[in-house]
Amino acid sequence: MTEKILILDFGSQYTQLIARAVREANVYCEIIPYHKSFEFESGLKGIILSGSPCSVNETDAPDVNVQDFITKVPVLGICYGAQLTAKRFGGVVAKSNKREYGRALLQKQKEDILFKNVEERSQVWMSHADTILKMPEGFELLATTESIPVAAFRKSEVGGQKSENGRAASDIRLQTSDFPLYGVQFHPEVYHSKEGKKIIRNFLVDICGCSQDWTPAHFITDTVEALKKQISNRKVVMALSGGVDSTVAATLIHKAIGDHLYGIFVDNGVLRKNEFENVLHTYAKLGLNVKGIDAKKRFYNDLAGKSDPEEKRKIIGRLFIEIFQEEAKHIQGIELLGQGTIYPDVIESVSVHGPSVTIKSHHNVGGLPEQMHLGLVEPLRFLFKDEVRKVGRELGIPAEMIDRHPFPGPGLAIRILGEITEEKVQLLQEADHLYIKALKDNNLYATVWQAGAILLPVKSVGVMGDERTYEFTVALRAVTSVDGMTADWAHLPYEFLANISNEIINNVKGINRVVYDISSKPPATIEWE
């Protein structure tokens, strides 16, 4: 059985960063809400308790039975997780009278395996309003900072008192058979904790005994075997987009069942220039069984006269489902639907606070399982985006597809502000093609997280030779980001921007002005619609 670390989520904004740090150490982990029950299966090597926006002293504060956990596996509490641990064992946690947010210097007070190869004074990141004023009996201080007396601690191997339900100390003594229990009142998972990943690695390897064998190759082998068992001799239908997630998912399913996977790739008329043909060519090289559907005219007809962004998204989503269902009906005996769902989507749907109230339409292929009554096959549902790319490279998928920037489901329809026409699509396709090609030719493509051109519903006067023009304006967008949740505008060289502006204006008849978007997210979004 695969070794696993379980991360119990108390609602922290940093919980996914804990998982990323664990995965980067080649150890498999899963995030679950703190209140979800789980089994102590043989592969479970340890538990990490996340931070939280809550206070442990609130009446309905999130709570778990740390005392029971350490009879089975090692535990590391981070921030709220450390405070909860301290309170449960009889320590004192109260509102801090000092500001404990931002950078701090960790000062080791005692040598411990948790801080192996960590400097005596190491920068860490604080983010909490409560603080541990008094450690429980039987616990040892490992580190302090200039602001707080208890920055890290551990349970002694023998002695100490547990508290009943975290409210009052009892007479139950800690047993020598208990597993290690640690707490840190800072966030080792964030970038600003300079040696935080060493601390997490020490917990995983030296304390939990993880073998660090969870690699892309290991994932592929395990996943293909699991898919063979799940699917057996049944047929799978899958909507493909040419994007990273659906392509990697399809390739894994194909390795398991071959041509029993039926892929459908729909040209919705708002793809990038030559994308339909190029993607189908790549799928053929990968040996995937994919049918391409040219549905441009149907999309253009339904989008005619529509300018509201949400209405455009809904039309594209609805029409896509209709076309996908029409094509799937031609395949006899379909029982399963393949999807490229990745872990952030799964975490969002089962988070501590439940799914988001509002999401953009057509964020994913919604509605298909319910409407088609098919079981789901989601081989990537426990991977982050960067891990999907690593698996894709291991599978031999071409770099131009694996390293491609994110592209919105509604495509260029939400990069054409206002009404969609075939002529506007062709204008934007040409401008976007020149822009992306220039980024690649100048070795800038890999330095930005996402880039694209936006056609504005604005015409302005220009001069070309002896003629005056009255043509469209294009805005260029490029952002740097880790996951798209926040983003900064990319500081592309002025010379590059000047050159690509000339290139677009000189080669795309109908565009006579180019602007560059220097808005960050927040307050702006990456896309304009």
Side-chain angles (χ1 to χ4, degrees):
M1 179 178 289
T2 301
E3 293 179 350
K4 178 168 72 176
I5 294 291
L6 208 55
I7 300 168
L8 302 192
D9 181 20
F10 294 100
S12 169
Q13 60 180 322
Y14 300 137
T15 302
Q16 286 195 34
L17 296 181
I18 302 174
R20 286 181 178 276
V22 174
R23 298 277 185 93
E24 285 173 14
N26 295 330
V27 175
Y28 179 67
C29 67
E30 291 180 17
I31 299 171
I32 65 169
Y34 73 91
H35 47 68
K36 183 179 179 182
S37 61
F38 60 91
E39 297 295 326
F40 284 88
E41 46 201 7
S42 59
L44 184 60
K45 305 291 285 184
I47 292 173
I48 297 177
L49 310 176
S50 85
S52 173
C54 303
S55 165
V56 294
N57 293 318
E58 293 173 6
T59 304
D60 297 320
D63 192 14
V64 293
N65 192 343
V66 184
Q67 290 95 322
D68 180 56
F69 293 169
I70 59 171
T71 65
K72 300 177 177 69
V73 293
V75 174
L76 170 65
I78 293 177
C79 199
Y80 180 91
Q83 293 165 358
L84 175 64
T85 297
K87 182 166 184 178
R88 267 202 156 254
F89 283 86
V92 177
V93 180
K95 188 72 69 178
S96 174
N97 58 8
K98 294 182 180 179
R99 184 174 182 269
E100 294 175 1
Y101 178 82
R103 293 176 179 85
L105 275 179
L106 187 74
Q107 177 65 56
K108 289 197 288 186
Q109 300 297 320
K110 185 170 186 173
E111 286 301 323
D112 188 87
I113 198 166
L114 185 68
F115 294 122
K116 186 178 77 174
N117 298 325
V118 174
E119 294 179 3
E120 283 298 315
R121 291 171 65 83
S122 183
Q123 179 183 295
V124 295
W125 184 260
M126 298 285 186
S127 181
H128 56 94
D130 287 350
T131 194
I132 299 170
L133 296 181
K134 181 183 176 184
M135 287 192 305
E137 290 184 29
F139 281 68
E140 299 174 280
L141 180 68
L142 298 181
T144 61
T145 73
E146 62 272 28
S147 299
I148 58 174
V150 182
F153 61 85
R154 74 177 182 194
K155 161 180 85 65
S156 301
E157 291 185 7
V158 183
Q161 291 182 314
K162 298 182 180 182
S163 65
E164 291 290 348
N165 300 319
R167 305 305 175 200
S170 75
D171 293 328
I172 305 172
R173 307 296 291 181
L174 293 175
Q175 302 299 311
T176 55
S177 58
D178 283 349
F179 283 86
L181 171 60
Y182 286 86
V184 294
Q185 246 191 138
F186 56 89
H187 288 274
E189 71 273 23
V190 305
Y191 170 78
H192 298 295
S193 292
K194 295 298 186 184
E195 297 182 282
K197 289 183 180 177
K198 284 184 186 177
I199 295 169
I200 291 173
R201 183 259 173 214
N202 291 340
F203 176 72
L204 299 173
V205 178
D206 297 317
I207 296 170
C208 297
C210 296
S211 56
Q212 296 183 282
D213 63 353
W214 197 71
T215 62
H218 184 264
F219 171 81
I220 290 168
T221 302
D222 284 357
T223 301
V224 169
E225 287 306 308
L227 288 170
K228 287 178 180 177
K229 291 176 183 175
Q230 178 191 0
I231 299 168
S232 188
N233 294 318
R234 295 181 290 177
K235 294 179 181 178
V236 180
V237 67
M238 185 169 182
L240 298 174
S241 65
V244 177
D245 302 338
S246 67
T247 301
V248 173
T251 305
L252 284 167
I253 297 171
H254 176 78
K255 282 181 73 72
I257 63 171
D259 284 350
H260 278 188
L261 169 67
Y262 295 82
I264 297 172
F265 179 41
V266 178
D267 185 351
N268 58 14
V270 285
L271 301 176
R272 285 175 163 168
K273 183 180 179 181
N274 300 327
E275 186 168 13
F276 186 61
E277 296 79 11
N278 292 341
V279 168
L280 284 176
H281 178 68
T282 301
Y283 286 156
K285 286 201 317 188
L286 290 170
L288 299 181
N289 176 26
V290 180
K291 181 179 181 181
I293 309 297
D294 183 351
K296 290 193 291 287
K297 296 298 182 185
R298 285 181 66 175
F299 281 90
Y300 291 149
N301 288 339
D302 281 26
L303 287 167
K306 304 295 189 295
S307 58
D308 178 73
E310 189 65 8
E311 190 174 8
K312 289 191 289 186
R313 287 175 179 272
K314 286 179 178 176
I315 288 169
I316 291 169
R318 172 186 54 76
L319 191 52
F320 171 83
I321 289 175
E322 287 178 11
I323 294 168
F324 183 83
Q325 287 182 304
E326 289 168 11
E327 293 300 323
K329 285 177 182 175
H330 299 316
I331 308 167
Q332 296 297 316
I334 291 291
E335 295 182 49
L336 299 169
L337 174 72
Q339 287 198 151
T341 310
I342 63 175
Y343 203 31
D345 300 324
V346 176
I347 295 168
E348 173 69 14
S349 67
V350 295
S351 70
V352 172
H353 305 293
S356 293
V357 175
T358 304
I359 58 171
K360 291 176 181 175
S361 300
H362 200 61
H363 175 69
N364 206 335
V365 185
L368 285 174
E370 292 83 359
Q371 292 191 29
M372 300 180 72
H373 307 292
L374 300 175
L376 282 178
V377 180
E378 300 173 304
L380 306 179
R381 66 180 281 108
F382 291 113
L383 295 191
F384 290 104
K385 190 78 169 190
D386 53 333
E387 294 170 331
V388 175
R389 294 187 196 278
K390 289 175 185 175
V391 169
R393 292 187 188 99
E394 186 75 24
L395 287 166
I397 297 172
E400 61 266 21
M401 187 168 279
I402 288 300
D403 297 327
R404 160 186 173 167
H405 290 171
F407 189 62
L412 299 180
I414 59 167
R415 293 183 180 176
I416 297 172
L417 274 59
E419 183 182 0
I420 308 296
T421 66
E422 189 169 359
E423 293 71 28
K424 286 182 181 179
V425 171
Q426 290 173 356
L427 271 183
L428 186 56
Q429 282 177 332
E430 292 297 331
D432 180 81
H433 173 72
L434 291 173
Y435 179 37
I436 298 301
K437 183 177 184 300
L439 286 170
K440 292 178 178 177
D441 291 346
N442 288 273
N443 298 317
L444 293 169
Y445 186 80
T447 69
V448 300
W449 192 77
Q450 185 171 336
I454 299 96
L455 187 68
L456 305 184
V458 174
K459 285 189 174 183
S460 64
V461 173
V463 178
M464 291 189 180
D466 294 327
E467 296 182 6
R468 289 171 68 82
T469 61
Y470 189 63
E471 296 177 341
F472 284 104
T473 300
V474 157
L476 303 182
R477 183 76 158 135
V479 299
T480 56
S481 181
V482 173
D483 53 15
M485 299 301 292
T486 60
D488 193 14
W489 62 278
H491 295 236
L492 299 178
Y494 289 157
E495 185 177 0
F496 169 81
L497 292 172
N499 289 339
I500 188 57
S501 174
N502 288 337
E503 184 83 2
I504 290 171
I505 291 170
N506 290 336
N507 289 281
V508 186
K509 185 173 174 56
I511 295 172
N512 69 353
R513 193 175 296 269
V514 174
V515 299
Y516 187 58
D517 182 352
I518 59 169
S519 309
S520 295
K521 176 188 179 181
T525 54
I526 296 175
E527 300 293 344
W528 279 42
E529 288 192 342

